[in-house]
Amino acid sequence: MKASRRVPFTPLPLAAAARGAVALAVPLLVGVATGRITPAVIAGIGALWGVSQDGDDPYRLRVRRLACTGLPAALGLLAGELALRSGRPGAVTVCLVAAALLAGSVSLRGPLASVAGLHLLLGATVGGGIPVPGPWWQAPLALLAGVAVVVVLCATPWLWRRHAIERAAVRAAYRAAAEALSAAGSPGAEPARRRLTSVLDHAHRVMGRHLTGRARPGTERDALRTAFHTAVRLGEVTSALVWEGRPLPRWAGQVPLLTAARLLPEPGRTASRPPAETGKADGTGETASRPLPEAGDTAAPEPDSPGLRALAALAAECGRTRPDAPAARLPAFPWHGRAAQVRYTVLLAGCVLVAQLCAVLLHGPRGYWLPMTVAFVYKPDFGPVPRRALHRCAGTVAGVAAIGAVTLLTSDTCVLIGAVAAFGALMAVGVRHHYALATTALTAIVFVLVDLLGDHRALYSARILDTALAAAVVLVAHLALWPDSAQGRARAQTEAALAAARRYRDLAPGAPATQRHALRRTAYHRLAEARRALVHAQREPGRPGRGARDLPDLSGLADAVGAAERLCDAVSARNLGAAPAASALRAPRCGVAGAMGG
């Protein structure tokens, strides 16, 4: 009987769902209780955007991202509101185009800048499309208050679980190393090693400032640093053992988990050597008496390769020595460059202008849905634009159907607020799992919020058509004027990855361990980024009729990245005392040259 492939289960983010429900319901309930519906709805919009940027990062990164959400959104809302209140024809259109130019100019500079640019444009579309009574400063402050609710809900657990996120990320690296060692010598070895790289990258980002500065010995921060630095060394050993291409003894696959148990014991347990564990690596279920070899441990099997000897030495030194620190920061990924930023800025502004003109012709002064949809869809740094447009349309249809069913059953305000809370929980799940699901919840929530503001028009079919029209505008502009954006990014990422791999290869044999680990981490990080960019490019269609010779050969780029990964594995083996063949230490060249036409 053929064994079924085990599919990893991703647990639902119940805590995030609860935060989403509370963050959206609280401002609306306060507004109903006090009779100040308009500020409450604006605060609800701020909470809505805050929930869309809630994540599982460390608390300091969450607060920074939410700050990059709220402050630009409030500025955009203020600009749009002042343009709308001026009463001058075309003032709102000029404001939106200016906001799009500013948003596009910063959006490709990094993740936080992209979030800031997006919400600056969203704030301008809402401020210029929804009349808000009261003083001019009231709406921006209400929006900031809604974002502040999300900040409080996200950051409060820091008081009692300060380093839980960092601990979980580092322990995940040890689990990934155990899986890679258990898969050594099998067809799943390379994918497992790539998963280890991805998990190590995540742990590196999560650790952040914990890798810099001084930490008092014996503190949790010091233990986390030691555990992470050991995980980096373990990653090098794992790469070398995967490169050997043969199955490993059972104790090798158990070393990472036992090392993690020693360095990062569960709360309430001491950091002494844990008891023997069951032999899960080979599926026997038998008890391993002493699976973790230590100095002088005669019961442990004798390591018979440089990689296994390095693994045994790492386990023996665990907790007794302080390993050298790797690079404190991961390098920023390369983007397209200044020319691409200018092109994206112009295209985004052009799409917003066309969408706004269509909105004025179709809906008059309240046609914010069209430019808002453009702002959401045209984000090439968030994923393939055609898929994002398709998911946006599908989510809008589902959201209109869902809120339509609710309003058919009742129009009670408290029930609608309850529906908003439920959709807020759904949105918190959707932003982590699927963009169409998040769009479904966002569409339904916006309908309720607009209804609470007094706009009771039946716009269900109009919103679906507006979404389709805005998506069409983006797709036509993107595929006609910038069809090779994803391919260009993959090309730049691959060039940077190969350069990092060669730097790691050319490192002098006697270089300090700190420098070696830093170059190795950089090389594998660049290669993982290049693989993600290649997957993105493969999902992005080119312009019809464009010659294949004018586009990079994505399969050639993928081959070059794979060759560079094998090069880094061979270098890791060499650094641990193995003797790779000379051909294994050659940097890949022909694949990239062929893919780039020379």
Side-chain angles (χ1 to χ4, degrees):
M1 181 177 179
K2 186 177 180 180
S4 61
R5 184 179 178 182
R6 184 174 65 89
V7 178
F9 172 72
T10 303
L12 291 176
L14 298 180
R19 291 196 298 268
V22 173
L24 282 159
V26 166
L28 300 181
L29 290 174
V30 171
V32 170
T34 60
R36 300 178 62 83
I37 296 295
T38 299
V41 169
I42 300 300
I45 293 175
L48 175 66
W49 292 342
V51 170
S52 72
Q53 296 302 320
D54 185 14
D56 300 322
D57 300 324
Y59 300 108
R60 69 185 188 283
L61 295 182
R62 296 186 194 182
V63 173
R64 287 177 61 191
R65 188 168 58 248
L66 289 170
C68 290
T69 298
L71 295 175
L75 291 175
L77 179 66
L78 177 60
E81 182 185 12
L82 294 178
L84 182 63
R85 292 189 179 201
S86 70
R88 297 177 181 176
V92 172
T93 301
V94 172
C95 176
L96 291 182
V97 172
L101 289 171
L102 182 57
S105 65
V106 303
S107 287
L108 302 187
R109 298 179 181 272
L112 291 180
S114 180
V115 169
L118 169 65
H119 289 89
L120 173 71
L121 182 53
L122 290 177
T125 60
V126 170
I130 301 179
V132 179
W136 60 270
W137 47 263
Q138 178 176 277
L141 289 182
L143 186 79
L144 289 175
V147 178
V149 171
V150 182
V151 171
V152 171
L153 293 174
C154 289
T156 299
W158 176 84
L159 296 174
W160 61 84
R161 53 193 301 266
R162 184 168 300 183
H163 299 297
I165 297 171
E166 291 88 342
R167 175 184 291 269
V170 175
R171 289 183 70 91
Y174 284 93
R175 288 195 298 270
E179 293 173 0
L181 292 173
S182 299
S186 70
E190 274 297 312
R193 204 272 306 143
R194 290 172 191 154
R195 286 193 295 272
L196 171 60
T197 297
S198 178
V199 173
L200 267 175
D201 283 346
H202 175 68
H204 203 156
R205 285 190 293 268
V206 165
M207 288 294 292
R209 64 181 180 85
H210 295 298
L211 300 178
T212 60
R214 301 180 61 182
R216 290 181 300 172
T219 62
E220 186 173 8
R221 182 180 178 185
D222 179 64
L224 283 169
R225 289 176 60 171
T226 301
F228 175 76
H229 296 160
T230 304
V232 171
R233 294 178 58 198
L234 180 61
E236 181 181 44
V237 176
T238 301
S239 297
L241 289 171
V242 168
W243 176 83
E244 291 181 6
R246 64 189 181 96
L248 301 176
R250 184 180 62 185
W251 64 265
Q254 295 175 336
V255 166
L257 297 182
L258 295 174
T259 303
R262 177 181 299 177
L263 294 177
L264 292 176
E266 295 293 340
R269 293 183 59 181
T270 61
S272 61
R273 178 176 179 174
E277 295 191 356
T278 57
K280 296 179 182 178
D282 57 0
T284 61
E286 298 177 357
T287 301
S289 58
R290 293 171 70 83
L292 185 60
E294 297 205 29
D297 193 345
T298 58
E302 182 67 24
D304 60 352
S305 75
L308 287 176
R309 285 193 290 273
L311 183 65
L314 185 148
E317 297 170 4
C318 171
R320 298 190 180 94
T321 60
R322 299 179 63 82
D324 294 324
R329 289 181 179 273
L330 287 175
F333 61 87
W335 187 239
H336 294 285
R338 187 177 300 275
Q341 291 180 358
V342 171
R343 182 182 294 189
Y344 171 66
T345 300
V346 173
L347 286 178
L348 178 62
C351 291
V352 168
L353 175 60
V354 172
Q356 175 63 12
L357 293 177
C358 293
V360 172
L361 292 175
L362 295 176
H363 305 295
R366 294 191 180 185
Y368 57 89
W369 196 272
L370 274 156
M372 184 176 68
T373 302
V374 168
F376 276 119
V377 171
Y378 203 12
K379 294 293 294 178
D381 54 322
F382 282 9
V385 174
R387 291 186 61 190
R388 194 168 176 86
L390 177 63
H391 292 167
R392 186 78 191 178
C393 293
T396 300
V397 172
V400 165
I403 196 60
V406 172
T407 54
L408 281 177
L409 296 176
T410 182
S411 59
D412 183 76
T413 300
C414 292
V415 175
L416 291 178
I417 292 175
V420 166
F423 284 120
L426 181 65
M427 184 173 180
V429 175
V431 295
R432 289 164 174 77
H433 291 278
H434 202 283
Y435 181 59
L437 188 64
T439 300
T440 299
L442 183 143
T443 301
I445 292 169
V446 170
F447 266 93
V448 175
L449 295 179
V450 172
D451 184 76
L452 291 175
L453 283 177
D455 188 355
H456 305 299
R457 295 177 295 170
L459 295 174
Y460 297 119
S461 59
R463 292 313 181 214
I464 295 175
L465 294 176
D466 286 350
T467 301
L469 179 58
V473 169
V474 169
L475 289 178
V476 169
H478 180 70
L479 298 180
L481 301 176
W482 201 14
D484 56 348
S485 62
Q487 288 88 345
R489 182 184 186 187
R491 183 178 185 174
Q493 294 275 29
T494 303
E495 288 177 341
L498 297 188
R502 294 188 185 105
R503 286 194 298 271
Y504 179 48
R505 180 203 61 181
D506 297 337
L507 181 68
T514 300
Q515 185 180 5
R516 188 179 80 238
H517 290 313
L519 288 178
R520 181 188 171 277
R521 285 262 51 241
T522 299
Y524 279 108
H525 170 65
R526 295 281 200 196
L527 289 166
E529 291 287 347
R531 280 202 172 273
R532 283 190 284 271
L534 285 167
V535 171
H536 181 164
Q538 289 167 354
R539 294 173 177 174
E540 186 101 358
R543 182 169 58 197
R546 186 180 176 91
R549 55 185 168 81
D550 295 332
L551 294 176
D553 182 1
L554 296 180
S555 62
L557 293 176
D559 292 341
V561 170
E565 288 175 337
R566 291 188 293 274
L567 165 70
C568 292
D569 291 344
V571 173
S572 297
R574 181 196 66 185
N575 291 334
L576 294 181
S583 60
L585 295 177
R586 292 175 187 165
R589 296 183 184 275
C590 58
V592 177
M596 297 180 184

